[in-house]
Amino acid sequence: MTAILEAALAADTLILSNAGAHANEDWRGIIERKAADIANIGHTVWVINSNAARPDVVRSFCSNHGARYVILVGRERDTTSGSGTLRDSAAQLYSIDPHSWQPLVQGLGKVTEDIRRSTTGMWFDALEEVAFGSFDLAVFVKHNDDQQLTRFWPSDSTYPVRRFAAVRPGRYQILGAGRLSSPFAVWLKT
């Protein structure tokens, strides 16, 4: 078990994000590119399209509940076939509030996904691929409404959650784990 995953699984509050290969890039390539960002400039930006994890929600969750970890999960261990979009556009700008924009840091690798008006990103200062493990989503409740988490929805691929029971194996494969750092989450645009 990796150090980041161990800390994430021990945390009472964390973020779960449905992840996988996308836009003809395999999972390992994505993880390696993002890890290189962290090694070279100290952070990376992980793109998400999720109504349940807007930047203001993530920042508040991190500040008020001490959440610092993200577990990246998928339904399949096959990390070469795309579970995400085939559309791939690159973010160029980010914003802590959705009003004042600045360029992403020079030297940051591509920040790609299906970049839309509502696209956001999580700010990681550590990221590790996980080669094994699974868990049951049902040991977590969603931060916004305390409903038990049973699956991911297309509009909600990422959830701030609270663990209420011991983690146990289940149908979701653990693909990776990351550690959030300030500003925790940002809006993105091309």
Side-chain angles (χ1 to χ4, degrees), residues 46-69:
W46 190 272
V47 177
I48 59 173
N49 283 302
S50 180
N51 294 326
R54 309 305 302 151
D56 50 336
V57 171
V58 171
R59 276 198 300 279
S60 172
F61 186 63
C62 290
S63 296
N64 296 336
H65 300 284
R68 291 296 180 271
Y69 296 99

Side-chain angles (χ1 to χ4, degrees), residues 10-165:
D12 290 329
T13 57
L14 64 144
I15 295 174
L16 298 177
S17 187
N18 195 19
H22 72 88
N24 300 317
E25 185 174 15
D26 70 4
W27 177 250
R28 180 152 290 122
I30 295 168
I31 289 289
E32 288 173 355
R33 180 166 46 83
K34 298 296 185 179
D37 286 345
I38 293 167
N40 294 333
I41 64 169
H43 77 275
T44 194
V45 179
W46 190 272
V47 177
I48 59 173
N49 283 302
S50 180
N51 294 326
R54 309 305 302 151
D56 50 336
V57 171
V58 171
R59 276 198 300 279
S60 172
F61 186 63
C62 290
S63 296
N64 296 336
H65 300 284
R68 291 296 180 271
Y69 296 99
V70 177
I71 297 177
L72 304 166
V73 301
R75 290 287 300 273
E76 305 291 333
R77 174 47 58 191
D78 176 10
T79 57
T80 59
S81 62
S83 62
T85 182
L86 294 178
R87 291 173 288 207
D88 196 20
S89 52
Q92 302 295 321
L93 304 169
Y94 79 97
S95 177
I96 293 173
D97 61 35
H99 306 294
S100 60
W101 295 89
Q102 52 193 340
L104 289 166
V105 175
Q106 187 172 5
L108 186 67
K110 61 183 182 173
V111 177
T112 59
E113 188 33 276
D114 181 13
I115 307 293
R116 304 176 242 168
R117 243 172 102 140
S118 60
T119 299
T120 64
M122 292 183 289
W123 203 276
F124 289 155
D125 69 356
L127 178 66
E128 298 172 337
E129 181 177 18
V130 175
F132 63 93
S134 70
F135 66 76
D136 183 0
L137 295 181
V139 303
F140 301 97
V141 293
K142 295 182 251 179
H143 166 65
N144 65 342
D145 61 12
D146 276 342
Q147 285 187 337
Q148 192 172 21
L149 184 60
T150 56
R151 67 181 214 156
F152 293 94
W153 296 90
S155 62
D156 293 321
S157 62
T158 302
Y159 290 100
V161 296
R162 180 176 48 81
R163 184 175 47 84
F164 71 90

